[in-house]
Amino acid sequence: MNGNIAPDQETLRLTGYAHGGGCACKIPPGELEDVVRGLVGQANPNVLVGLDGGDDASAVLVGENLAVLSTADFFTPVVDDAYDWGRIAAANAISDIYAMGGRPISAINLVGWPRDVLPLELLTEVLRGGLEVAAEAGCPVTGGHSIDDPEPKYGMAVTGIADPGKLLRNDAAQPGLPITLTKPIGLGLLNNRHKQTGEVFPEAIATMVELNRDAAEAAVRHGFRAATDVTGFGLLGHLHKMCRASGVGAVIDRNAVPLVSGALEALRDGYISGGTRRNLDWVRPHLRPGPGVSEEDLLVLADAQTSGGLLVVGELPGYPVIGHTTEGAGIEVR
């Protein structure tokens, strides 16, 4: 705990106080779509991005060259270290703004805390981690809201701004373009292993706290139009949402998809979350696995990520191309 927490508090395992961890705790995508089916945002000509495309944040036009972006994201502990959990949750929430091609300008904390169970000093560490990452993003944290909650939860509501003509959207993908992934996947496997065993994976933590700022700025600079971030629905789930909204298909080369160190070992040892299995069940009807593609390959590609990278339609220098968009529908995995 970075030397700031009393020794008896260091033995507390935050992940043990939650039924799941990180973005794997999301309501399954199929269930969520059933809930919101038929719901629409208020009719307003200034709403550029609302509920329809399943984007990462909303976008509302407030000036000729200015759109305001709004998002919120929070989850239960994904790691046992309170400070690291705060950093990861903040990076994950702010990522929604980057995934839209925007710049975060303000955030407020969202907190649920079992105040009679966990020391409030741990909450201080969570908030300290969030403040540090928000400061790195140049995003002031200006307040928040907290409740007494049986499970610890933390995240942020974030406001951003963007050029309305340069938004990155779910529904803007065109066929015949490369698909770039800006962070390795497999984080869900390692987070699940951490929850069950207490093993710590520094590379996974470093990946989750890394901001998607540079990748987002590069995507906008190159004139790309379609992107999303890869979080709780896994690479396949988020790719499917983008392809469906855009009316395109995709081909993914599984061997080109980067994996965080230790992910394959965690897969081999069975550390597959329920969220990952639900992701694959949801997207499976839209998949065309090629020869030699195993169930384990598909589970890795459906792995529920927390604070993952950006999935960008376009070749982004310095990041791996993992496939391409196509005419038609569905996702072919080679």
Side-chain angles (χ1 to χ4, degrees), residues 14-21 25 74-77 85 111-115 117-118 147-154 195:
L14 282 173
T15 56
Y17 291 85
H19 71 284
C25 283
F74 62 93
F75 47 66
T76 53
W85 174 32
V111 175
W113 198 258
R115 47 182 294 275
V117 178
L118 290 175
I147 61 169
D148 192 347
D149 192 323
E151 283 188 320
K153 300 178 180 71
Y154 175 63
K195 178 177 172 58

Side-chain angles (χ1 to χ4, degrees), residues 112-191:
W113 198 258
R115 47 182 294 275
D116 293 330
V117 178
L118 290 175
L120 290 174
E121 291 86 352
L122 283 179
L123 177 55
T124 299
E125 286 299 288
V126 175
L127 297 175
R128 187 170 72 88
L131 281 170
E132 179 175 293
V133 165
E136 181 185 351
C139 179
V141 179
T142 56
H145 181 68
S146 62
I147 61 169
D148 192 347
D149 192 323
E151 283 188 320
K153 300 178 180 71
Y154 175 63
M156 289 178 168
V158 188
T159 300
I161 57 174
D163 182 333
K166 298 180 179 180
L167 289 173
L168 301 174
R169 305 173 55 128
N170 258 7
D171 63 359
Q174 298 294 319
L177 295 175
I179 299 173
T180 301
L181 180 66
T182 68
K183 284 187 186 182
I185 64 171
L187 298 167
L189 289 160
L190 294 181
N191 289 339

Side-chain angles (χ1 to χ4, degrees), residues 173 242-249 326-329:
M242 184 161 61
C243 287
R244 183 180 60 182
S246 299
V248 301
T326 64
E327 300 277 0

Side-chain angles (χ1 to χ4, degrees), residues 65-141:
N65 297 305
L66 181 64
V68 170
L69 311 179
S70 298
T71 187
D73 209 314
F74 62 93
F75 47 66
T76 53
V78 68
V79 293
D80 290 322
D81 187 285
Y83 170 75
D84 283 341
W85 174 32
R87 294 197 296 156
I88 293 165
N92 181 75
I94 294 170
S95 178
D96 286 345
I97 301 298
Y98 294 135
M100 297 290 294
R103 175 170 65 88
I105 60 168
S106 178
I108 57 174
N109 288 315
L110 303 174
V111 175
W113 198 258
R115 47 182 294 275
D116 293 330
V117 178
L118 290 175
L120 290 174
E121 291 86 352
L122 283 179
L123 177 55
T124 299
E125 286 299 288
V126 175
L127 297 175
R128 187 170 72 88
L131 281 170
E132 179 175 293
V133 165
E136 181 185 351
C139 179
V141 179

